[in-house]
Amino acid sequence: MFDDPELGDNLQALEELADMGYIDRDTPAYGIAKKYLHEGEASFSEKQKYVFDKEVAPVIFKSCARCSEGIELSVLPIAYEEDLMLCSYHRHKHYKDE
Ligand SMILES: [Zn+2]
């Protein structure tokens, strides 16, 4: 069983990204993105891995502009919306200090 306490948040974030048009629900990329959240990258077939790398990874793997750490998926919809690619830590700092 793939047990991830963040799964619910991540699935919701994926839905928001789909609503915003970053991932198209009518394409295989959407199903593959969901599969990734549920089962991880190891579950992919070669073809799925290809689509994931080409269409999903560029959307969901973003680095923080300040620390270069990966941005948590749950924070990504707001990062896109505000055009502010920051991890949750630096997002918090950004609004607190500046
Ligand atoms: Zn950061």
Side-chain angles (χ1 to χ4, degrees), residues 64-69 86-91:
C64 173
R66 300 256 180 105
C67 67
S68 301
E69 291 287 316
L86 297 173
C87 68
S88 54
Y89 174 73
H90 283 112
R91 164 164 302 276

Side-chain angles (χ1 to χ4, degrees), residues 11-27:
L11 283 170
Q12 197 193 325
L14 180 66
E15 295 304 318
E16 287 174 40
L17 290 173
D19 286 341
M20 293 162 78
Y22 289 104
I23 293 178
D24 192 338
R25 285 195 177 91
D26 295 331
T27 65

